């Protein structure tokens, strides 16, 4: 795993992944949100982490706990986090969160690919327009 990460992203990223690699897997930080956005996404976060191994109650109350997410839950959260990041109005944040919560797993994977693809730079904007009529 270390050789693959080093070949793809360089040794600098490899040093930052300390503690985030295990048994041929690596964790990656996708987004970081301020408290207002986290509150707007609270229901999506709660639904994604309930029943997962780790300190889910501590994470939900703002503690420094950790959880191991299944891939589908991680993809759903990544879509919600990336979509809500530039939005300023709370009503639009909540609208996006409701839309992501209603998505099927396949839709979440589609939007995750759209938002992360370098060949589709407007994926996040398209997601916001679809779910909130937010054109910024």
């Amino acid at each position: 795993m270390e050789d693959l990460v080093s070949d793809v992203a360089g040794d600098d990223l490899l040093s930052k992944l300390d503690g985030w690699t295990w048994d041929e897997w690596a964790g990656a930080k996708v987004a970081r949100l301020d408290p207002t956005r986290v509150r707007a996404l609270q229901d999506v976060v709660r639904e994604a982490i309930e029943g997962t191994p780790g300190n889910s109650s501590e994470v939900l109350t703002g503690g420094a706990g950790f959880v191991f997410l299944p891939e589908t839950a991680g993809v759903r959260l990544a879509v919600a986090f990336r979509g809500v990041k530039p939005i300023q109005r709370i009503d639009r944040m909540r609208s996006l969160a409701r839309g992501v919560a209603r998505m099927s797993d396949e839709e979440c994977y589609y939007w995750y690919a759209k938002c992360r693809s370098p060949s589709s730079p407007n994926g996040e904007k398209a997601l916001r327009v679809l779910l909130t009529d937010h054109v910024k």
Side-chain angles (χ1 to χ4, degrees), residues 72-104:
T72 54
V75 167
R76 185 174 302 277
L77 287 179
V79 168
F81 283 14
R82 292 185 70 87
V84 81
K85 189 133 185 171
I87 298 175
Q88 298 297 316
R89 290 180 36 188
I90 298 291
D91 60 323
R92 288 187 176 153
M93 289 182 208
R94 290 183 181 144
S95 177
L96 186 127
R98 283 190 303 270
V100 170
R102 287 191 305 255
M103 283 183 186
S104 69

Side-chain angles (χ1 to χ4, degrees), residues 6 20 29 37-38 48 50 52 59-60 63 65 73 76 78 80 105 108 110 120-121 125-126 133:
S6 181
W20 292 90
K29 181 169 68 170
R37 286 170 175 75
V38 171
E50 282 181 345
T52 59
V59 171
L60 288 172
R76 185 174 302 277
D105 290 343
C108 284
Y110 171 81
S120 177
K125 182 178 178 181
D133 295 329

Side-chain angles (χ1 to χ4, degrees), residues 2-130:
E2 291 177 1
D3 293 336
L4 176 64
V5 171
S6 181
D7 290 346
V8 172
D11 291 328
D12 185 47
L13 179 64
L14 188 59
S15 66
K16 292 178 185 176
L17 287 176
D18 186 37
W20 292 90
T21 60
W22 60 95
D23 298 331
E24 305 297 321
W25 291 90
K29 181 169 68 170
V30 176
R32 181 182 177 106
L33 299 177
D34 63 67
T36 303
R37 286 170 175 75
V38 171
R39 280 191 296 277
L41 295 175
Q42 190 171 13
D43 293 336
V44 175
V45 172
R46 180 176 287 112
E47 183 180 315
I49 70 172
E50 282 181 345
T52 59
N55 304 327
S56 60
S57 62
E58 190 173 326
V59 171
L60 288 172
T61 58
F66 66 91
V67 294
F68 290 104
L69 294 174
E71 183 180 83
T72 54
V75 167
R76 185 174 302 277
L77 287 179
V79 168
F81 283 14
R82 292 185 70 87
V84 81
K85 189 133 185 171
I87 298 175
Q88 298 297 316
R89 290 180 36 188
I90 298 291
D91 60 323
R92 288 187 176 153
M93 289 182 208
R94 290 183 181 144
S95 177
L96 186 127
R98 283 190 303 270
V100 170
R102 287 191 305 255
M103 283 183 186
S104 69
D105 290 343
E106 292 80 13
E107 288 175 292
C108 284
Y109 276 100
Y110 171 81
W111 283 108
Y112 179 78
K114 274 299 225 193
C115 291
R116 299 283 294 172
S117 173
S119 64
S120 177
N122 294 322
E124 292 174 16
K125 182 178 178 181
L127 176 68
R128 287 191 299 277
V129 169
L130 175 70

